[in-house]
Amino acid sequence: MKRWLSITAGWVLALVAMTVRMTCRVRMVDDPRPELAKRGIPHVFAVLHAHQLAGLAAAEKGSAVMVSRSADGEIIVPLIRIGGHVPIRGSSGSGRKGGGSALKALANHVRGGKPAILTIDGPRGPRGHAQKGIGLLAKSTGAVVICAVPVSNRRWILKKSWDRLQIPTPFSRLTIGMSQPMQILPGESLESFASRVAECLSNLEHQYDPAEANAAAAAPQRRRRAA
């Protein structure tokens, strides 16, 4: 019964989100994908969990998206499908249910010539902390990593959630700032690469959305003081 309710809620959310998406204008900034396509280099998007809904607008149709096996993940699946993307259930976090098989499925998808999207700090945070899954995916496929931060000029922000999830509102302008392609350096550890990706996303958020970046950084301190 609970699963049926989650699926129903997911399709309602998907239809609402698709309607919103049709009213939004999207602008890509510093998009490296045309040059990568010319050179035949595969790519993977790294985004924050807070940007997972808006981030789907940046990716090409057919991109694979890792979704947790939680009830919240069940709700997101229809949204991913209706946008023309491929949901893969699991988690990039170490030891979490389905993580290994999901990363393998993502890797196979990328090797097949399609991109993937990974929320580097999902599904439980802390916000902005990158799990090593992004490095595993890049290393196993030879793909470069593109960090992306979507910013809507009008949006709802769930300020009490750990990630401060952002939801664009109808008729908003969505600006998606992208990084230059990142690669694992010779001899670099997965942890080091994950830290570089996290730093890149932090820098992009401070560049394109400084008010929210500062608010997100202050939120954990406020929670600790309240506790």
Side-chain angles (χ1 to χ4, degrees):
M1 183 67 176
K2 288 183 179 180
R3 186 172 185 274
W4 182 85
L5 288 173
S6 295
I7 292 173
T8 302
W11 280 107
V12 171
L13 172 64
L15 291 171
V16 171
M18 182 56 63
T19 302
V20 171
R21 171 69 181 85
M22 292 171 64
T23 70
C24 294
R25 288 177 290 169
V26 180
R27 181 173 70 99
M28 312 287 188
V29 182
D30 296 330
D31 189 349
R33 288 176 296 177
E35 182 61 30
L36 293 174
K38 289 179 184 178
R39 298 166 58 189
I41 300 174
H43 65 275
V44 175
F45 277 109
V47 300
L48 295 175
H49 199 270
H51 300 146
Q52 60 180 313
L53 299 181
L56 293 173
E60 303 92 316
K61 288 188 182 297
S63 297
V65 185
M66 185 180 286
V67 187
S68 74
R69 294 186 175 183
S70 65
D72 289 344
E74 194 75 55
I75 292 174
I76 295 296
V77 166
L79 174 60
I80 293 170
R81 291 192 188 280
I82 206 169
H85 304 301
V86 180
I88 294 177
R89 305 302 298 273
S91 168
S92 60
S94 176
R96 290 176 182 162
K97 188 175 181 180
S101 60
L103 278 172
K104 288 179 181 178
L106 277 181
N108 288 335
H109 189 87
V110 174
R111 292 190 196 101
K114 293 288 187 178
I117 310 169
L118 200 61
T119 54
I120 57 107
D121 52 353
R124 299 176 185 172
R127 190 186 196 276
H129 176 75
Q131 307 287 346
K132 65 180 182 180
I134 188 66
L136 285 168
L137 186 58
K139 188 174 183 178
S140 65
T141 61
V144 297
V145 173
I146 302 172
C147 295
V149 170
V151 182
S152 177
N153 69 324
R154 288 195 291 268
R155 61 195 169 180
W156 294 297
I157 299 177
L158 306 187
K159 297 180 180 180
K160 292 186 178 181
S161 65
W162 68 265
D163 60 347
R164 294 177 62 89
L165 180 68
Q166 299 179 23
I167 306 171
T169 61
F171 302 100
S172 59
R173 293 192 305 273
L174 192 61
T175 299
I176 301 176
M178 300 186 189
S179 72
Q180 289 301 302
M182 300 178 65
Q183 292 178 298
I184 297 181
L185 302 175
E188 184 177 22
S189 68
L190 296 176
E191 290 77 11
S192 174
F193 182 70
S195 294
R196 286 203 293 125
V197 170
E199 182 179 10
C200 178
L201 283 167
S202 176
N203 290 339
L204 281 175
E205 190 174 31
H206 277 88
Q207 177 182 350
Y208 289 99
D209 198 8
E212 178 59 16
N214 291 330
Q221 299 177 17
R222 288 196 295 270
R223 283 195 289 269
R224 283 196 294 270
R225 286 198 294 269

